[in-house]
Structures are given as C-alpha cells and as structure tokens.
Amino acid sequence: MFRGNLVREPPVLPPDIIITILDELALNNDTASLKACSLVSRSFVPLCQKHIFHTLFEGDHHHVIIPFFALVVKSPHLIRYMRVIRLQNYFQSDHDANELSVILNCSTSLKRLELINYGASFGLVPMWHPSTARRRLQQALFHKVTQPGLESLHVETVQGLPFTFFNSAIHLKSLTIKAVIPWEEEDKGVQGIKYPT
C-alpha cells in the first residue's frame, strides 16, 4: 500500500489543439484573449504574438504606428510576425512617416499592403507630398512593392499616385486599383524621387 503524497501533473493539451484554439481567437479578432493566453505559458508567447502582430492597421481612430515602432525598437523580433499593413484614412505627419518608412523597410514577412482613402477628397495632404519624411515613406513604399515577398497590393481612392508606382510590382499575385487619381506631372518625378520604370 502506497502512503505518499501523490503529485498530479496538470493535463497537457496536444500542441495542435492549442494552435487551433489560438487560431480561432485570431479569426474572431479576440486580441484581449490572445494577450491573456500569452501569459499562460512561455510556449504560448510566440503563438499568440504571431496573431497579435499579424496586421498593422492605421487610420480612422486607430493610431498605432508610433506605439508599434516604439515596441519594435524594444522587441525587434515582433516585426517578423507582421503580414498585413492597412493604411486607411491615414493622415501622414512627418513624424509618423519616418516611423512607417522604417517599419516598411524592416517588414521582410509582409504579404499584403493596403492604401485606402489618401487624398484631397478627405481634406488630407496628397500621398506624394514633397516633405523629406514623406519622400522617405514614398521610397519605402516603392521599395516594398518591388519585393518578391509582397503578394497583394490594394490601392483605393488615392490621389497623386504616379502609375509608374505599379511598373515594378511584377511579383504580385493580386493587384486591386480603385479610384486612383494619378499625379499630373508624374514623368517629372517628385523632388528627387526616382520612380521605377
């Protein structure tokens, strides 16, 4: 007869069930639960981060570029989880244009880029504006669309985008262009920007 203390190990879920649960949370955009799950175990952290940092959405009332940039400076590995950047109704200040250009240049795993509602119809500065910070952002966008890893580009209601922007987007599997008003003097270039040909 055994008279010792029986220590029971907690039940262990198979990894594929854990991954399925986290995938479901991500499909339901349940970021709060994903953050809570990341505190359960160290092994959960990369699985949760993969979903939490999958999409960078800036626009409307979501102002995340500067906080995300600060987070990536402290934890650079997080940028490898980013697969989608969506800039919607985005008013680029010179300050966050610098941060966004760095994020674009460092996002080697980016699969989809969405540029929606840039332009004068929204009372915004046109996308291709000649400030130094915005030129850096323009160069980063041009560079990103030429990269083989980028699979999808969605451009909608953008004013001042030169059509030469699309010339080097030869690796895309999906390209959506809606209501784009080209820059009238695109053949002259903007303040030192060399457009791909």
Side-chain angles (χ1 to χ4, degrees):
M1 185 173 195
F2 181 76
R3 294 186 181 241
N5 288 335
L6 291 176
V7 178
R8 288 186 144 186
E9 298 255 340
V12 177
L13 287 173
D16 52 337
I17 291 178
I18 293 169
I19 290 169
T20 301
I21 291 168
L22 297 176
D23 288 347
E24 278 299 312
L25 292 173
L27 283 174
N28 293 314
N29 293 321
D30 193 349
T31 305
S33 294
L34 284 167
K35 288 177 182 177
C37 287
S38 72
L39 301 174
V40 171
S41 164
R42 284 188 177 160
S43 65
F44 281 32
V45 172
L47 298 170
C48 293
Q49 286 177 341
K50 173 184 137 189
H51 294 298
I52 292 169
F53 297 104
H54 179 272
T55 301
L56 176 66
F57 174 60
E58 174 75 24
D60 297 327
H61 301 292
H62 300 88
H63 303 289
V64 297
I65 290 174
I66 293 173
F68 181 72
F69 180 79
L71 183 62
V72 167
V73 167
K74 292 178 184 174
S75 304
H77 72 283
L78 296 176
I79 205 160
R80 75 173 181 237
Y81 297 119
M82 191 171 51
R83 298 291 185 270
V84 178
I85 293 179
R86 181 182 184 129
L87 304 174
Q88 181 172 342
N89 298 332
Y90 168 60
F91 179 76
Q92 48 186 332
S93 70
D94 285 347
H95 186 59
D96 64 5
N98 280 326
E99 278 79 357
L100 183 55
S101 63
V102 172
I103 290 169
L104 281 165
N105 286 326
C106 294
S107 58
T108 56
S109 302
L110 192 67
K111 298 291 181 195
R112 181 169 174 83
L113 178 60
E114 300 177 11
L115 307 172
I116 302 169
N117 297 342
Y118 280 84
S121 61
F122 292 87
L124 306 178
V125 174
M127 183 177 186
W128 306 114
H129 190 271
S131 79
T132 303
R134 293 178 193 170
R135 277 200 308 260
R136 265 186 245 130
L137 177 55
Q138 293 159 17
Q139 289 286 15
L141 286 166
F142 274 120
H143 179 71
K144 188 50 66 184
V145 299
T146 65
Q147 298 303 300
L150 188 69
E151 296 175 356
S152 177
L153 176 62
H154 179 91
V155 181
E156 182 176 344
T157 318
V158 175
Q159 179 178 333
L161 177 66
F163 279 123
T164 53
F165 177 75
F166 303 105
N167 286 356
S168 297
I170 59 173
H171 301 287
L172 295 176
K173 294 179 182 175
S174 171
L175 173 62
T176 306
I177 303 171
K178 294 180 183 177
V180 173
I181 301 168
W183 186 43
E184 294 174 4
E185 300 180 26
E186 67 180 274
D187 57 323
K188 294 181 182 175
V190 176
Q191 302 279 329
I193 297 287
K194 292 182 181 173
Y195 299 116
T197 57

